[in-house]
Amino acid sequence: MRALLQRIARAPGGRRGKWAVLAAWLIVAVALGPLAGKLGDVEDTSPNAFLPHGAESARVNTELERFRTDTVMPVVVVYTGAGAREAADADRLALDRFTAEGQRIAGPVPSDDGAALMTVVPLDAEEEVTDTVDALRDIAGADAPPGTDVEVGGPAASLTDSVAVFDSLDATLMIATGLVVTALLLITYRSPVLWLFPLLSVGFAALLTQASTYLLARHASLPVDPQSAGVLMVLVFGVGTDYALLLIARYREELHRHEDRHRAMRIALTRSGPAVLASAGTIAVGLACLALADINSSRSLGLVGAVGVVCAFLAMVTVLPALLVLAGRWVFWPFVPRFGTPARKERTVWSRIGALVARRPRWSWLMSVAVTGALALSAAGISLGLTQSEMFQDKPESVVAQERLSEHFPSGASDPAQIVTRTAGAGEVRTAADGVDGVARVEPGGDRTPDGSLTLLSVVLEDAPDSDAAKDTVDALRTAVHAVAGADALVGGTTAESLDTARAADRDLTTVVPVVLLVVLAVLIGLLRALVAPVLLLATVVVSYLAALGASNLLFEHVLGHAGVDWSIPLMGFVFLVALGIDYNIFLMHRVREETARLGVARGVLEGLTSTGGVITSAGVVLAATFAVFAGLPLVTMAQMGVLVGIGVLLDTFLVRTVMVPALALDLGRRFWWPGRLFRDAPQLDDGDAGSGRAAGAREQVAGRTSV
């Protein structure tokens, strides 16, 4: 691999090669630039984009395409208060112009308690539903008497509120992420110029990512939805900046040792390349494991994220080195690395931390395990699942409307369950459905496909569509209608979709997690050429994930006021944190392995920690901050993802990588590298095993060294 990396490094690190690399990227930018803005054209916003592949509710959505009613999406206007009747009657004529062709307004329908009225307006789903709902909201209740509340809800209004979130998502995330990364790079480098180079390189990576994702979605059926498209840019910014920090740190290091900046860059690329490649490979393959997930949105996020990581890697090992070499040493001003000067101070905060850990390594890792274990206990009481009304940090109007409906009507009145059945068995299916506990009524009539072969029945449930009781009713409903011979009945709708998603999330967790662990373990074994070290490193990341999940659950429950944790979060958080968290272990242990081969086990661990401490901490803070941008989004699912990944990355950065991993390596000594070459042949410069307390001399030497 080193020979291959040396050949690759000759291009961006060469006197003529850097010009060729920059020219190639400029050609790519000009050629693919127009495609980068078309990613929204291939996003799947259909209901099935967020459902399990092959689920019964997804099959119902597919069958609905055969019905004329599939082009109708209802809006439900709810009137409460003293002037409800007056307002509803006044609005009826104005709302009539929004109805789809051939359809009629239903209502106003009074509630059984007489305290509310409901008007259902069927909209044409083939037109711009969101624009129609916005216009309808401007009219509904505009002239309502004082003391009258009017809310617009129903499926069309829910869709409008969700689209409003995703419409602003990409722009908000890009601006916020760019500002966060810029601020952190300025703080990290304390240079008015250097921060531009990582940011410019990430820009190239983002352009390549968006264009590649668009082409793969258009021509290779890569699944893309609004959520994965939003996460994609944050991932590219975070991972790309991490790789930039690592490469620049090693380049600056080599500039102190070599007068020729081209040679310094070639050596920096050759020595840091294996760690960056292993990191990118681990993240990309780990995310790609989500292709095994049943939920379509999870599969989309994993595959799209893998594309982004590969593009970020390509940009950071080509265009960034070329730009840095072209600019010269002055980009580091005012802290220009001079040839022949020390790369860092004799004693740093990281050398001091290393010395403290080395004094009592076993106590250090036991205490860090105790801290993470205590946090992990909070994950035991986690409440999984969010209702539709709990999916937003601030309640949109559609959620308020649903709450009003639940107070005064059968809770499922605005969003009934749907049964698609063969017309020949429709009568028996209707009878079976009507006899299920929890069913308020089966609506009379029933729409048919143009050929008359299928019939659609609407079933109003007694409970709110996303409640546990409604899900139990759907289970019983499916059992009842499936028993009708020859009907081939399927039950769908919002409640069925929630039920199918929850069950698929459980299945995905047990399927994807073991595969991700095996893949990451294989990468670590190949990189470190040992067995004990990879197993322990993987265990530390899993412990860190559980601690992050527990800590996040405390924040969700007691600080942010969330009702629970979305079904997708445990799996998404696990994949992201294992793939991203192992990054810092890879960066650290790749350097430790290099130094151990030269200095021995104890000195190698301490020198690796001292050399990489600053850059890995900066990288962790940048990555955590980019994901923390999600915490301010109105969608609870994405806010929870940002909080979980941010906390997990910080735990990895400041506890696992700084204390737990070095302490384990020091405590085990050369056994940490069993059965690899370092276990057998590491230099005998430690005066014994680090964990036995006989490495004091090594600690003192490392603390006073003036190297990388």
Side-chain angles (χ1 to χ4, degrees):
M1 179 182 288
R2 184 172 292 273
L4 175 61
L5 288 171
Q6 287 174 340
R7 288 196 293 271
I8 294 173
R10 291 194 191 106
R15 297 183 184 279
R16 288 190 294 270
K18 61 179 182 287
W19 295 106
V21 169
L22 290 175
W25 272 99
L26 288 174
I27 292 172
V28 168
V30 172
L32 299 183
L35 299 180
K38 294 184 176 181
L39 186 57
D41 296 345
V42 294
E43 290 179 6
D44 182 6
T45 57
S46 69
N48 285 355
F50 299 91
L51 293 179
H53 179 70
E56 185 169 340
S57 56
R59 291 160 59 196
V60 168
N61 288 335
T62 301
E63 293 292 349
L64 286 176
E65 296 175 5
R66 301 173 58 182
F67 288 83
R68 173 66 182 92
T69 52
D70 188 37
T71 62
V72 174
M73 185 175 289
V75 159
V76 180
V77 186
V78 187
Y79 301 86
T80 54
R85 169 60 68 177
E86 181 182 347
D89 290 341
D91 285 346
R92 182 179 172 86
L93 189 59
L95 298 179
D96 190 57
R97 66 184 180 89
F98 293 102
T99 58
E101 184 179 352
Q103 300 292 317
R104 290 169 34 181
I105 287 180
V109 178
S111 61
D112 290 340
D113 60 9
L117 292 166
M118 173 178 66
T119 298
V120 180
V121 184
L123 307 183
D124 189 341
E126 293 183 347
E127 296 181 357
E128 289 294 334
V129 171
T130 56
D131 292 341
T132 305
V133 171
D134 288 338
L136 190 148
R137 280 174 166 166
D138 290 337
I139 293 174
D143 299 321
T148 304
D149 294 320
V150 181
E151 283 85 26
V152 177
S158 296
L159 175 65
T160 300
D161 292 334
S162 298
V163 168
V165 171
F166 286 111
D167 275 349
S168 61
L169 182 64
D170 290 346
T172 301
L173 285 177
M174 284 290 288
I175 294 171
T177 303
L179 291 175
V180 166
V181 171
T182 299
L184 291 174
L185 288 175
L186 281 168
I187 294 170
T188 300
Y189 292 129
R190 292 172 292 168
S191 167
V193 179
L194 184 57
W195 65 274
L196 285 167
F197 289 80
L199 210 59
L200 182 59
S201 302
V202 169
F204 277 109
L207 185 148
L208 179 62
T209 298
Q210 289 188 320
S212 300
T213 304
Y214 169 78
L215 290 172
L216 289 171
R218 177 70 71 188
H219 303 292
S221 301
L222 178 72
V224 181
D225 60 54
Q227 177 176 285
S228 62
V231 173
L232 178 61
M233 286 299 97
V234 174
L235 183 64
V236 170
F237 265 83
V239 171
T241 306
D242 272 8
Y243 297 157
L245 289 167
L246 186 70
L247 177 62
I248 291 173
R250 195 63 186 252
Y251 174 52
R252 179 163 50 187
E253 200 177 297
E254 298 301 332
L255 286 173
H256 285 278
R257 297 173 175 171
H258 303 280
E259 190 171 6
D260 182 3
R261 68 180 187 274
H262 296 87
R263 176 173 172 76
M265 179 57 76
R266 289 196 297 270
I267 293 174
L269 272 173
T270 301
R271 292 184 176 174
S272 63
V276 176
L277 178 60
S279 168
T282 302
I283 298 175
V285 176
L287 290 175
C289 289
L290 284 170
L292 301 174
D294 207 21
I295 298 176
N296 289 328
S297 56
S298 298
R299 294 173 60 248
S300 173
L301 183 57
L303 294 173
V304 168
V307 173
V309 171
V310 171
C311 293
F313 167 77
L314 292 175
M316 293 306 122
V317 298
T318 55
V319 69
L320 176 61
L323 288 170
L324 290 171
V325 171
L326 178 65
R329 295 174 185 262
W330 69 271
V331 298
F332 291 93
W333 184 86
F335 304 100
V336 179
R338 305 295 183 186
F339 170 59
T341 61
R344 65 168 184 263
K345 297 177 182 178
E346 291 188 0
R347 286 184 64 80
T348 67
V349 63
W350 306 109
S351 66
R352 294 187 183 96
I353 291 174
L356 288 173
V357 171
R359 287 194 187 102
R360 301 184 66 183
R362 185 165 301 171
W363 182 89
S364 297
W365 71 258
L366 284 173
M367 289 303 297
S368 57
V369 168
V371 171
T372 52
L375 291 173
L377 290 175
S378 300
I382 195 168
S383 175
L384 287 175
L386 295 172
T387 66
Q388 184 67 29
S389 62
E390 296 164 349
M391 292 296 290
F392 299 90
Q393 302 220 60
D394 297 316
K395 289 182 182 180
E397 187 175 347
S398 59
V399 171
V400 177
Q402 179 59 49
E403 291 176 347
R404 294 279 192 274
L405 285 168
S406 298
E407 291 172 7
H408 303 288
F409 293 88
S411 296
S414 66
D415 196 359
Q418 297 167 315
I419 301 177
V420 176
T421 177
R422 293 190 181 278
T423 300
E428 292 181 66
V429 169
R430 178 187 296 276
T431 301
D434 206 25
V436 173
D437 289 339
V439 171
R441 65 178 181 274
V442 180
E443 298 287 10
D447 298 296
R448 294 187 180 183
T449 54
D451 63 4
S453 62
L454 297 179
T455 296
L456 174 65
L457 302 176
S458 294
V459 181
V460 177
L461 307 181
E462 293 178 353
D463 301 290
D466 44 17
S467 65
D468 289 337
K471 293 174 185 176
D472 292 340
T473 302
V474 166
D475 260 337
L477 190 60
R478 283 175 168 173
T479 300
V481 301
H482 290 171
V484 178
D488 296 332
L490 301 172
V491 178
T494 300
T495 307
E497 291 172 358
S498 298
L499 179 64
D500 291 340
T501 300
R503 288 176 175 166
D506 285 340
R507 178 260 178 199
D508 288 349
L509 198 61
T510 57
T511 301
V512 176
V513 166
V515 177
V516 172
L517 291 176
L518 289 174
V519 166
V520 172
L521 181 62
V523 172
L524 289 174
I525 291 173
L527 178 71
L528 301 178
R529 301 170 198 173
L531 186 58
V532 172
V535 170
L536 288 176
L537 292 178
L538 193 61
T540 63
V541 174
V542 172
V543 169
S544 176
Y545 160 73
L546 293 174
L549 187 62
S552 299
N553 187 45
L554 291 175
L555 286 177
F556 299 153
E557 184 176 351
H558 300 293
V559 178
L560 299 177
H562 295 170
V565 178
D566 187 71
W567 285 103
S568 65
I569 294 302
L571 177 61
M572 295 294 99
F574 177 84
V575 172
F576 271 98
L577 283 179
V578 169
L580 295 173
I582 208 70
D583 250 16
Y584 305 118
N585 282 335
I586 287 175
F587 295 160
L588 169 65
M589 297 314 296
H590 179 263
R591 186 59 178 265
V592 167
R593 188 179 186 279
E594 180 182 327
E595 299 296 343
T596 297
R598 186 168 63 92
L599 301 172
V601 176
R603 287 178 61 186
V605 171
L606 296 176
E607 177 61 20
L609 175 61
T610 304
S611 301
T612 62
V615 63
I616 293 179
T617 300
S618 298
V621 171
V622 168
L623 189 62
T626 53
F627 272 90
V629 171
F630 287 129
L633 296 178
L635 205 60
V636 168
T637 301
M638 301 195 76
Q640 290 183 342
M641 172 66 76
V643 170
L644 175 59
V645 175
I647 290 176
V649 168
L650 292 177
L651 281 173
D652 277 326
T653 303
F654 290 102
L655 182 61
V656 174
R657 190 268 311 162
T658 304
V659 178
M660 188 185 297
V661 170
L664 283 168
L666 288 168
D667 192 22
L668 291 175
R670 62 179 61 247
R671 289 169 295 175
F672 188 76
W673 299 101
W674 183 88
R677 181 175 60 83
L678 290 180
F679 171 71
R680 303 185 304 272
D681 304 329
Q684 300 289 333
L685 302 178
D686 296 327
D687 298 322
D689 184 83
S692 65
R694 290 177 291 177
R699 292 194 296 270
E700 291 171 3
Q701 292 179 51
V702 171
R705 283 189 77 234
T706 56
S707 63
V708 200

